[in-house]
Amino acid sequence: MASGFFTDTTLCIGCKACEVACKQWNELPADGYAFTGDSYDNTGALGGTTWRHVAFIESTPDAPGAPPTMNRWVMMSDVCKHCTNAGCMEACPTGAIIRNEFDDVFIQPDVCNGCGYCVPSCPFGVVDLIDHQVIQPRFASDGRTDDNAVQTHGGVAGKCTLCYDRQKVGLVPACAKACPTDSIQFGDVDELKDRARKRVADLQSRGVDASLYGVDEKTSVGDLNAFFLLTGPPAAYNLPERPVLPSTRQPAGYVSAALAVTGLALIGLALFRRESA
Amino acid sequence: MRELRDLSPDASARGAAAGNGVLAPLPETYYDRPLLKKPHWEWEVITYLFLGGIMGGSGLLVAITDEKKDPELSRNLRYVTFALASTCPLILVKHLGRPERFLHMLRIFKWRSAMSMGVWGLIAFSAPVTAGAIGQAARDGLIPRWLRWLHPRPLTDPLTAVLGAFIGSYTGVLLSATALPLWGIGKRHIPMFSACSGIAGACAANSLILALTGGSEESIEKLERFETFAALAELALLRDFRRHAGSIGDPMFAGARGAKLTRHTEIGGIILPAVFSVLPIHGRWKTVVSSVLTLIGGYVLRETLIEAGKNSADDPRAASRQPE
Amino acid sequence: MPGLGTSFGRGGATTFVQDLVNSDCILIEGSNFAECHPVAFRFVMEAKERGAKIIHVDPRFTRTSAVADVYAPIRSGSDIVFLGALINWLLENERYFREYVVAFTNASYIVREDFQDTEDLDGMFSGFIDPDDTTADGQDRSKYASFGNDAAKPVPGNYDTSSWQFETDEVPRYDGNGTVKVPKRDDTLQHPRCVINVMRRHFARYTAEMVEEACGTPRETFLEIANLLADNSGRERTTAFAYAVGWTQHTVGVQYIRTASILQLLLGNIGRPGGGIMALRGHANIQGATDIPTLYDSMPGYLPMPSALRNEQTLADYLKSVTKPTGWWANTPKYVVSLLKAYYGDHATKDNDFAFDYLPQISGDHSTLPTQIAMKDGEIKAYFVIGMNPAASGFNAELARAAMDKLEWMVNIDAYETESASFWRREGVDPTTIGTEVFFLPSSTILEKEGTMVNTNRLLQWHDKAVHAPGDTRSDLYLFHQLGLRLKALYADSTDPKDRPIQAMTWDYPHEDPHEHDLGEPSARKVLMEVNGYRVEPGKPGYDCPQVTAFTELADDGSTAAGGWIYSGVYPDKQTNRARNRTGDEWTSLDWGFAWPANRRMLYNRASADPDGKPWSDRKTYMQWDEQQKKWTGPDIPDFPATKSPHEPAKPGASGVDAHSGANPFIMQLDGMGALFVNGALKDGPLPAHYEPMESVVGNPLYGQQSNPTLREWDRDDNPYNGRENPDYPYVLTTYRLTEQSGIMTRYVPWLAELQPSLFAEIDPDLAVEKSIRNGDWVTIATALGQIEARALVSGRMKPLRIGKGKDRRLIHQIGVPYNYGSLGYATGDSIGTLIPLALDPNVSIHEAKTLSCTIRVGRRTSGPNARVDEPVPANQVSDWGASRPHGRDEAPV
């Protein structure tokens, strides 16, 4: 059984309980206290120590004093997509990134050596390295130091684990558990997809422009175990319209390089080995 | 005006009063924030790309040169490849987030990961290269002569060349096998001009060494001619990449960075040395100047490529429709 | 609280949040439900999925508006116009639920002829006693600040409510012994002075056009909402209202609630599934904090505190003063005596009036804000600040801090060192100049102690101690228990009568667990058992006596004791703590926790059945009369005598609920009816009228009387008001809270602090352009009281509104600033409380924090928040114990 998330953005109220539950469960540090001015989103994006990120998109074109008919404030809890064909996993040279028994993409924190190649290889910009500096002792008042956090997090790549540790003991991921409106739904991916398709049909019949992102996709990335129901173009949510699995570009690259090298090598042989005049 | 009393409880209120059901469009990007993540690659990676290109190119030259015709060059090549093959991995280990875990790279062999292939390629390359250095040192009398039997040239030289070719070009593949638009769109160009640049750089580095150590002028001349071929090929590929990439290529070819690339790499690193090579000037200093210009050009190319690639990660519009 | 209490009988939410899934329509106003109650909001989302229409009316387009079906913008402070216009629309279009209204409300009661309405007196009701009239009966009453029923006679600045009474008929008593007066009624609703017609006249000027003019809400949107409410009420469909402090924190806050109560009675939604008024209380235990109260004028179970201003010096006089002859409150003596037995145990006997004179008597308004002022004037020596942070989250926060400077000593009991605990080293202050001795007692957080919490559903839920608190930290229960023990020891040998209450109080709650006992922790279980009540066995401690199972078992003869009668039933026997129950179901979940009263989840649920006891419709079935079993049945506990037939006639002259018929659902009320017209219990009027806030940017478009004449204000240099229509402060300022933050608690949690790290001000784009403010800039917001700085968040969700008519019509800008910041923590910012001057509602002393006026400029603030507030005020501005004064009549502007 493949487990995953169906994130239905029409149910999201932007409370960020998912962000906090995730950070608390995984003992991740805060990322700084900077005001962005980007609506209510002071988090900005997913990163090495932010594994759930709630996006806020405002669109308020009504003129002053006019009936408020078109105002929208869209909220969406973003997460690692746990792609069927995962760019990060393709890139990983140590085998730290694996597909676990729940078919989710998992970074083994004791194997990763922080080479950072997964970071630019994710078509969705999810995974990042965790800076050593960021891990600070947080619970110093009760004498407990944060060696464990440095061991597990410092210098390695971090992203959503789909709460692998919780799934192993039969618990639901922390974000899904905390979500008060069930915008984040956890379960068997095929069942979630069926539910999502029905939901889209229902919303469309009510005049809502709903679509699924990450289901029945024909890209080289494939379907996403963590997929979304959106009510607008993906780019507005900072999701790529057309993601590409980067490793698919390699054959063309190797062939081209081989041709170039072979050509030059032949010229070189002529230059160096022909009989001197 | 339609009587609002006629509205049934099920009529959607949104838009009904205004007579339309259309919601406001959403913005085109998310606050213009980057959609992708850029790699944490600084001077270590740029330096490795540069030195690795020279290392690979030198490895190729090992097989191309005829030891009888150019014995000094052949000898230098063996030491140069060994020196680079010893230091480049150290640079790479240093830039790991957990350097003490560098051996984890050997846990798997994944041909679909350019970095895994690169690691194994480096390791594989170090074998014939070390043998070559040992053999050379033995023949040079620096170590016991019997050790030269550890260096069976018909076996190790082709390996050095093939693996060297791989080393000199795989980094181009590694870059384009990421999501960054500039690198992705260069999936053919970047490996090719990286290889050309590596070969040109190897020629420049080795002719520089020969010039400074009083080596054979004939060898230098061959190197310079080969370098010109490789560099002109590199120039052609860069210019074609500029055309092919279109606006996605702006971080690399436009603005101050593009001007620097043109100045230091295209003009300084390729055209000027090519011009020097046909001018009727002789003397070691011409070689030194020309080689240094080429090497600077090679470094600037790598630096530009990396920094521009990181920049391209910042543009959400370019990152939204990723190149195939 | 009294808004609901006077309308229906109890000052609490009439329903429970889980029932919202049954609503066909939910009106959310005066609340940002999704923001501030996100977990309860799941039931609204579920209702929406089942087809309910969600309406959100708010000055800002918030996270609730984002998922609502209809959003209506409104000028902050003008909700009575909006709701009053809905009432007017229902009455004009005859869209109210007539059968329900006639049977269950006082719509048909006839008001006295000498009653004069706001229509007659340009915004006043008949009976107002001018504040300058201090010696009408020879007494100087100008210093009295009266609240609740604490005045023997009406005092200046309030109304004499005799003209608000109903005409009466004399009818024979039920037992034939003479006659008794009952209100005169016209059930045909024709009489010009019956309540519903008085209301028609009263609300006639509250039209859709007036809504557009006064609230800025487009007419079409208003009419859309009116239709949605009417279409979703009646026999087959129900509508629920949800509100929070957006409605209560105004100087007419109680009347906002009254308007909503009238609406829901007219629509016939009270006591019905999917209906009701969900008063969303904040914090986890604010409901508990008024049930077993930290209010100065209330004893546990909403029994009034004895008052020196009324004739209540003996137990008999007090009981006579506060006991209502009919309705459930006729049982008051049983609850009072049982409470005294709980307090004083064997020391309370019939002979000493059950130690009634051990209770302190209030002599004015001792609520927190006047007390704070008294502190600043040097009249109060010491202050216990417990789980509260007036220096940051208080109103006129700088005055709160200046007040603390004047104390001799202060005790802070908190889990965090708050701005109040560290007031003595705040910005701009030299600690060596402050003489206050400050004690800080660290207290446990919820996981570090056992006890109950009572949430907005009136639901008691027990929580166990999960971890030991570090170091010297102790639970609040421990700290107060210890204080009591030590005071008892200190006073043990005293012969002074004033020390007897301390000597006499029962204070024995030994913990069952040996480790907790060794720590000195008292047993919260035993406290809850005492709150529940027990049958007194002299000589035995309460926890060894048999528990009562319901408040119907409480007596006024000293045979029972109960620390909080409304909770009786939570601990019906020694083994059963119903607050621990955790068996839920899909609806009422009677086996999850214990709701007061008597585990009733929905109040007034008798009204879900018609006068004959049958559900109004199959679709909306809740409680119904079972003729076979001769009792009320349904998914809930009946909020009605369980075996009283719907056809039981009223018994005129009987006491308690016997005076009511079987068709009077509101058992706490004198007459068992829902009150559209409240004839005396509220200070500012029997019907709601729109008054502008103290700091309004416009004149009252409905009346010459600008603001609530009975609201409480001060004339002090350290509490200046902007005044009405002050051109220096032309923008409306409204305040609110954020999901991510609460106060000091969350500002110290990195994961929460990073989500909203900075104080910001939400500004509409037009105002931003006008003031050259770019998104993210620092801005300074100023009022006459002070200035604060914040980051600008320019957003189209704030839209200026067109207010006024004719040539006065103009764009009004509204600025929103959240409440959650202070100088300490990872997320810091100025306290908006710095800008809020004290102006209070007259009924409950709640402050006006939701509508202010201000000005704004780009740039950081140039000085401390407000230097002037620290200075003492001239002697002529000092009042007794910080007493406020009434607002009085407003002159019409020139």
Side-chain angles (χ1 to χ4, degrees):
Chain A
M1 149 179 137
S3 73
F5 289 127
F6 165 35
T7 302
D8 183 348
T9 61
T10 61
L11 297 176
C12 180
I13 55 173
C15 72
K16 306 180 193 169
C18 51
E19 276 196 53
V20 179
C22 173
K23 287 229 178 187
Q24 184 179 33
W25 178 258
N26 294 295
E27 296 196 286
L28 297 168
D31 288 314
Y33 306 106
F35 177 77
T36 64
D38 293 341
S39 191
Y40 279 11
D41 179 4
N42 290 298
T43 305
L46 293 170
T49 47
T50 295
W51 299 351
R52 267 276 175 193
H53 156 239
V54 180
F56 291 79
I57 306 160
E58 297 185 21
S59 184
T60 50
D62 297 337
T69 55
M70 293 173 72
N71 287 338
R72 295 179 74 184
W73 200 6
V74 170
M75 297 152 204
M76 172 257 223
S77 178
D78 196 12
V79 73
C80 168
K81 320 311 187 266
H82 294 273
C83 315
T84 301
N85 304 312
C88 59
M89 198 165 96
E90 294 279 273
C92 178
T94 61
I97 305 184
I98 57 166
R99 270 209 121 79
N100 63 21
E101 65 267 34
F102 300 108
D103 200 48
D104 305 321
V105 179
F106 178 70
I107 305 177
Q108 300 172 85
D110 52 341
V111 173
C112 174
N113 61 13
C115 79
Y117 189 40
C118 54
V119 174
S121 301
C122 172
F124 303 94
V126 168
V127 62
D128 207 343
L129 292 178
I130 302 174
D131 192 342
H132 275 287
Q133 311 309 82
V134 143
I135 312 290
Q136 309 258 352
R138 255 194 343 274
F139 307 107
S141 62
D142 70 344
R144 186 155 72 90
T145 60
D146 235 351
D147 290 342
N148 185 55
V150 176
Q151 290 295 330
T152 52
H153 294 319
V156 301
K159 70 169 194 69
C160 163
T161 63
L162 235 153
C163 275
Y164 185 26
D165 50 353
R166 288 176 66 99
Q167 284 196 64
K168 280 212 270 209
V169 292
L171 294 176
V172 153
C175 54
K177 182 82 180 162
C179 178
T181 54
D182 292 339
S183 172
I184 301 175
Q185 297 168 39
F186 167 78
D188 171 75
V189 173
D190 289 329
E191 279 175 33
L192 290 175
K193 286 182 183 176
D194 279 340
R195 194 189 301 169
R197 291 186 191 102
K198 289 197 187 78
R199 173 78 175 153
V200 166
D202 178 38
L203 285 171
Q204 284 174 349
S205 73
R206 291 196 243 159
V208 178
D209 179 22
S211 60
L212 290 179
Y213 183 83
V215 175
D216 301 326
E217 299 285 357
K218 296 192 178 32
T219 64
S220 48
V221 171
D223 277 4
L224 308 176
N225 275 12
F227 61 90
F228 301 84
L229 188 153
L230 308 177
T231 56
Y237 300 82
N238 224 11
L239 296 170
E241 301 272 346
R242 180 187 67 201
V244 167
L245 183 65
S247 58
T248 56
R249 300 197 193 103
Q250 290 179 108
Y254 282 126
V255 165
S256 308
L259 284 174
V261 171
T262 307
L264 278 177
L266 290 173
I267 294 174
L269 282 169
L271 280 174
F272 280 82
R273 295 205 175 207
R274 66 162 184 224
E275 295 304 321
S276 335
Chain B
M1 171 176 141
R2 183 160 48 121
E3 261 300 308
L4 283 154
R5 287 201 57 174
D6 298 330
L7 278 181
S8 76
D10 293 323
S12 170
R14 175 171 274 147
N20 65 58
V22 176
L23 286 178
L26 299 184
E28 282 180 9
T29 68
Y30 189 69
Y31 305 103
D32 272 328
R33 280 186 172 269
L35 191 152
L36 299 170
K37 293 269 189 290
K38 57 179 71 147
H40 301 258
W41 291 343
E42 309 297 336
W43 68 266
E44 291 97 334
V45 170
I46 296 169
T47 304
Y48 168 71
L49 293 182
F50 173 64
L51 293 178
I54 295 171
M55 174 169 62
S58 303
L60 185 66
L61 282 171
V62 163
I64 288 177
T65 50
D66 185 339
E67 202 168 351
K68 298 190 190 55
K69 291 198 164 83
D70 302 290
E72 288 165 318
L73 173 58
S74 196
R75 185 170 144 271
N76 287 350
L77 283 170
R78 300 210 197 281
Y79 287 136
V80 162
T81 49
F82 177 72
L84 289 173
S86 311
T87 49
C88 281
L90 295 179
I91 299 175
L92 291 179
V93 167
K94 182 200 177 295
H95 109 277
L96 290 176
R98 291 288 202 126
E100 73 274 15
R101 293 183 182 173
F102 70 93
L103 285 175
H104 288 195
M105 294 297 202
L106 306 181
R107 287 176 82 249
I108 57 166
F109 177 91
K110 187 193 277 181
W111 62 267
R112 288 209 314 280
S113 163
M115 186 168 285
S116 178
M117 295 296 285
V119 166
W120 286 110
L122 265 177
I123 289 170
F125 183 67
S126 63
V129 152
T130 306
I134 290 175
Q136 189 63 52
R139 285 192 292 279
D140 288 346
L142 299 168
I143 54 178
R145 279 190 62 87
W146 66 265
L147 286 167
R148 73 189 188 280
W149 296 112
L150 287 176
H151 180 214
R153 273 164 287 180
L155 179 60
T156 61
D157 287 0
L159 268 179
T160 306
V162 167
L163 291 169
F166 175 78
I167 298 276
S169 42
Y170 90 94
T171 54
V173 177
L174 186 146
L175 292 184
S176 60
T178 64
L180 308 192
L182 176 72
W183 295 343
I185 204 164
K187 71 177 177 184
R188 292 192 174 81
H189 291 80
I190 297 177
M192 288 200 282
F193 69 63
S194 296
C196 295
S197 178
I199 291 170
C203 294
N206 283 286
S207 60
L208 178 65
I209 292 172
L210 284 175
L212 291 175
T213 57
S216 142
E217 279 214 24
E218 217 180 273
S219 299
I220 291 175
E221 210 185 301
K222 284 184 199 168
L223 282 171
E224 284 181 345
R225 233 173 289 152
F226 190 32
E227 181 191 316
T228 306
F229 272 106
L232 289 176
E234 180 192 334
L235 180 62
L237 286 164
L238 273 175
R239 284 276 144 177
D240 193 55
F241 182 42
R242 180 194 290 248
R243 174 204 60 78
H244 173 74
S247 62
I248 294 182
D250 282 350
M252 184 161 178
F253 297 112
R257 197 179 287 128
K260 185 177 180 185
L261 182 71
T262 300
R263 258 199 323 275
H264 293 280
T265 302
E266 292 184 316
I267 297 174
I270 297 175
I271 293 178
L272 275 184
V275 164
F276 280 165
S277 76
V278 299
L279 287 179
I281 310 172
H282 297 284
R284 309 204 167 254
W285 294 111
K286 182 201 92 174
T287 304
V288 168
V289 167
S290 181
S291 302
V292 167
L293 284 175
T294 303
L295 289 171
I296 290 174
Y299 187 85
V300 168
L301 172 68
R302 303 305 199 283
E303 179 191 69
T304 305
L305 187 60
I306 294 298
E307 294 300 324
K310 282 154 72 171
N311 258 166
S312 78
D314 288 338
D315 180 1
R317 287 189 170 83
S320 185
R321 303 193 71 79
Q322 292 163 14
E324 292 291 350
Chain C
M1 249 173 32
L4 298 174
T6 53
S7 307
F8 313 122
R10 298 187 190 89
T14 73
T15 183
F16 54 109
V17 293
Q18 285 80 356
D19 191 57
L20 290 173
V21 304
N22 298 312
S23 302
D24 297 295
C25 178
I26 303 175
L27 172 68
I28 303 168
E29 187 175 339
S31 155
N32 187 356
F33 203 149
E35 183 97 35
C36 302
H37 296 83
V39 177
F41 197 73
R42 74 181 281 119
F43 302 108
V44 176
M45 293 301 276
E46 176 63 32
K48 189 178 171 198
E49 289 312 303
R50 295 186 192 189
K53 288 287 167 277
I54 314 299
I55 305 169
H56 188 223
V57 182
D58 200 283
R60 307 181 304 126
F61 189 94
T62 67
R63 288 188 250 214
T64 304
S65 325
V67 292
D69 293 297
V70 181
Y71 164 69
I74 189 173
R75 174 172 65 96
S76 175
S78 64
D79 299 62
I80 293 182
V81 180
F82 190 91
L83 297 170
L86 287 171
I87 294 173
N88 186 37
W89 187 88
L90 286 179
L91 293 175
E92 269 192 5
N93 294 288
E94 300 288 329
R95 295 293 301 273
Y96 56 95
F97 187 177
R98 195 191 170 98
E99 290 171 73
Y100 181 107
V101 168
V102 171
F104 293 158
T105 76
N106 65 3
S108 60
Y109 289 23
I110 298 172
V111 180
R112 265 167 59 154
E113 197 163 358
D114 58 349
F115 170 71
Q116 286 179 296
D117 182 70
T118 51
E119 289 298 297
D120 305 308
L121 300 175
D122 198 16
M124 307 284 291
F125 294 98
S126 47
F128 187 67
I129 304 170
D130 270 306
D132 302 317
D133 177 16
T134 59
T135 57
D137 57 359
Q139 291 182 52
D140 178 5
R141 294 176 295 187
S142 61
K143 303 268 192 185
Y144 286 119
S146 60
F147 293 85
N149 296 322
D150 58 352
K153 297 182 209 173
V155 291
N158 286 334
Y159 285 100
D160 176 343
T161 61
S162 24
S163 62
W164 301 359
Q165 304 308 310
F166 301 120
E167 284 191 0
T168 52
D169 276 334
E170 287 219 28
V171 299
R173 285 175 57 98
Y174 73 104
D175 56 6
N177 288 339
T179 61
V180 71
K181 288 200 167 95
V182 296
K184 205 181 238 181
R185 305 165 60 135
D186 173 10
D187 286 349
T188 66
L189 307 182
Q190 300 293 316
H191 194 290
R193 273 184 287 111
C194 74
V195 163
I196 203 165
N197 291 328
V198 169
M199 280 182 9
R200 281 183 206 278
R201 185 162 173 263
H202 176 86
F203 286 110
R205 62 179 60 228
Y206 293 70
T207 60
E209 288 70 33
M210 180 55 76
V211 167
E212 199 164 276
E213 179 190 324
C215 309
T217 313
R219 191 175 163 277
E220 310 87 82
T221 311
F222 167 78
L223 289 172
E224 196 178 349
I225 292 174
N227 273 285
L228 279 172
L229 294 183
D231 289 341
N232 286 296
S233 304
R235 277 184 181 267
E236 297 283 336
R237 303 177 83 86
T238 52
T239 295
F241 284 13
Y243 79 87
V245 296
W247 269 357
T248 60
Q249 290 184 354
H250 294 272
T251 45
V252 280
V254 167
Q255 294 296 339
Y256 276 44
I257 313 311
R258 277 280 302 140
T259 329
S261 304
I262 292 172
L263 255 180
Q264 281 293 62
L265 283 174
L266 288 176
L267 290 166
N269 282 318
I270 299 296
R272 304 194 50 214
I277 298 182
M278 192 62 224
L280 294 163
R281 304 205 74 164
H283 297 93
N285 194 40
I286 192 73
Q287 179 67 51
T290 55
D291 296 340
I292 309 291
T294 53
L295 303 173
Y296 81 99
D297 57 351
S298 178
M299 297 198 291
Y302 301 100
L303 300 168
M305 200 72 196
S307 169
L309 299 177
R310 298 192 290 259
N311 182 15
E312 294 179 356
Q313 268 55 57
T314 67
L315 178 63
D317 287 336
Y318 165 79
L319 289 176
K320 183 151 172 272
S321 172
V322 304
T323 303
K324 307 239 179 347
T326 55
W328 194 267
W329 279 115
N331 292 302
T332 299
K334 303 176 189 167
Y335 309 141
V336 171
V337 172
S338 298
L339 178 65
L340 290 169
K341 289 295 289 181
Y343 281 165
Y344 301 114
D346 292 337
H347 291 276
T349 66
K350 221 180 222 106
D351 300 325
N352 67 1
D353 259 2
F354 298 107
F356 172 77
D357 60 340
Y358 288 0
L359 292 176
Q361 309 226 323
I362 58 176
S363 58
D365 180 0
H366 310 311
S367 66
T368 185
L369 295 170
T371 304
Q372 200 170 277
I373 287 183
M375 244 181 254
K376 169 130 189 279
D377 293 338
E379 290 182 294
I380 310 265
K381 305 298 175 207
Y383 196 10
F384 279 76
V385 180
I386 305 148
M388 184 173 132
N389 193 6
S393 5
F395 316 103
N396 200 343
E398 189 58 33
L399 190 151
R401 290 172 230 142
M404 292 175 191
D405 291 345
K406 297 287 187 303
L407 297 163
E408 283 184 10
W409 54 278
M410 180 161 114
V411 177
N412 266 278
I413 299 178
D414 212 305
Y416 298 83
E417 191 196 4
T418 62
E419 285 84 355
S420 302
S422 55
F423 75 91
W424 48 275
R425 43 187 182 158
R426 67 188 185 275
E427 172 193 350
V429 146
D430 175 9
T432 61
T433 61
I434 297 178
T436 315
E437 190 173 358
V438 181
F439 299 89
F440 187 83
L441 302 178
S443 67
S444 305
T445 63
I446 178 170
L447 297 172
E448 297 162 343
K449 59 187 176 186
E450 59 178 15
T452 54
M453 303 259 267
V454 187
N455 67 15
T456 196
N457 284 349
R458 288 167 281 102
L459 189 71
L460 280 80
Q461 295 179 98
W462 182 269
H463 59 90
D464 285 318
K465 179 172 179 173
V467 291
H468 289 297
D472 287 335
T473 308
R474 292 284 182 274
S475 67
D476 298 343
L477 193 59
Y478 168 92
L479 292 169
F480 277 96
H481 187 245
Q482 273 298 315
L483 189 60
L485 284 178
R486 293 173 201 216
L487 286 171
K488 268 182 170 302
L490 267 176
Y491 288 124
D493 296 326
S494 167
T495 52
D496 190 336
K498 88 167 179 356
D499 300 330
R500 274 198 232 120
I502 293 193
Q503 295 167 334
M505 64 186 188
T506 59
W507 212 242
D508 202 22
Y509 308 96
H511 208 291
E512 306 79 30
D513 177 276
H515 181 255
E516 296 295 303
H517 187 266
D518 288 342
L519 282 176
E521 288 280 350
S523 162
R525 270 186 57 229
K526 291 194 165 72
V527 174
L528 187 61
M529 284 164 61
E530 181 179 272
V531 164
N532 176 89
Y534 54 87
R535 282 179 216 291
V536 172
E537 287 177 11
K540 275 190 178 176
Y543 50 85
D544 279 342
C545 299
Q547 300 288 98
V548 302
T549 63
F551 47 73
T552 43
E553 295 171 26
L554 297 175
D556 63 359
D557 58 4
S559 61
T560 58
W565 72 273
I566 51 176
Y567 289 178
S568 291
V570 66
Y571 224 120
D573 61 66
K574 302 249 178 285
Q575 284 70 43
T576 308
N577 178 355
R578 293 174 77 178
R580 293 192 83 110
N581 290 351
R582 291 293 184 271
T583 305
D585 58 47
E586 294 299 310
W587 199 3
T588 52
S589 297
L590 296 178
D591 289 325
W592 185 294
F594 178 85
W596 72 264
N599 207 22
R600 294 164 193 156
R601 301 304 163 116
M602 184 188 302
L603 299 178
Y604 323 119
N605 52 40
R606 160 71 184 85
S608 62
D610 65 18
D612 289 325
K614 291 197 302 298
W616 291 102
S617 66
D618 284 336
R619 190 168 178 270
K620 293 287 167 176
T621 298
Y622 200 67
M623 305 304 287
Q624 55 187 305
W625 175 251
D626 184 325
E627 191 54 48
Q628 257 69 49
Q629 298 182 65
K630 295 269 188 268
K631 65 180 198 184
W632 290 91
T633 59
D636 200 346
I637 311 290
D639 187 15
F640 202 68
T643 54
K644 181 166 173 176
S645 158
H647 302 114
E648 176 105 9
K651 294 197 174 84
S655 80
V657 292
D658 289 342
H660 301 164
S661 77
N664 294 142
F666 297 94
I667 59 171
M668 306 303 286
Q669 303 278 70
L670 276 172
D671 56 1
M673 300 287 254
L676 295 169
F677 188 97
V678 168
N679 58 352
L682 294 179
K683 293 225 162 77
D684 32 18
L687 290 174
H690 170 68
Y691 296 117
E692 290 289 329
M694 275 290 281
E695 296 194 338
S696 177
V697 300
V698 300
N700 191 337
L702 282 92
Y703 311 113
Q705 178 66 19
Q706 169 78 355
S707 298
N708 186 346
T710 58
L711 73 80
R712 310 303 300 192
E713 61 182 30
W714 283 266
D715 177 21
R716 293 174 62 104
D717 290 341
D718 57 10
N719 191 52
Y721 304 109
N722 289 347
R724 60 181 279 189
E725 298 175 273
N726 187 335
D728 291 341
Y729 306 108
Y731 312 119
V732 175
L733 175 65
T734 188
T735 63
Y736 48 90
R737 287 190 175 268
L738 300 168
T739 311
E740 300 91 335
Q741 294 284 7
S742 134
I744 190 94
M745 283 201 308
T746 55
R747 297 202 305 274
Y748 270 124
V749 177
W751 307 311
L752 293 170
E754 67 169 340
L755 297 177
Q756 294 282 17
S758 188
L759 178 68
F760 59 89
E762 292 184 299
I763 302 166
D764 72 72
D766 293 318
L767 181 61
V769 165
E770 191 186 308
K771 294 284 190 176
S772 305
I773 297 172
R774 288 165 318 175
N775 190 35
D777 279 349
W778 279 103
V779 292
T780 297
I781 296 171
T783 67
L785 183 51
Q787 48 172 339
I788 58 159
E789 60 181 16
R791 304 294 294 275
L793 188 65
V794 178
S795 170
R797 292 178 294 103
M798 304 294 283
K799 289 216 200 298
L801 300 172
R802 292 220 149 78
I803 305 291
K805 71 170 187 219
K807 63 172 173 51
D808 292 326
R809 194 160 167 77
R810 62 187 216 263
L811 272 183
I812 301 280
H813 296 280
Q814 304 194 94
I815 298 172
V817 180
Y819 223 109
N820 313 84
Y821 293 90
S823 56
L824 301 176
Y826 295 115
T828 59
D830 280 348
S831 309
I832 183 68
T834 305
L835 296 185
I836 302 176
L838 304 181
L840 311 180
D841 151 277
N843 296 296
V844 289
S845 305
I846 199 164
H847 49 280
E848 182 150 74
K850 286 290 167 174
T851 314
L852 311 157
S853 57
C854 70
T855 186
I856 190 170
R857 64 170 175 79
V858 75
R860 302 195 70 151
R861 77 174 144 78
T862 47
S863 62
N866 36 24
R868 214 177 33 181
V869 177
D870 287 337
E871 286 151 27
V873 298
N876 66 345
Q877 292 179 3
V878 173
S879 52
D880 278 352
W881 301 111
S884 58
R885 60 166 206 200
H887 181 71
R889 287 184 205 274
D890 286 308
E891 280 132 28
V894 285

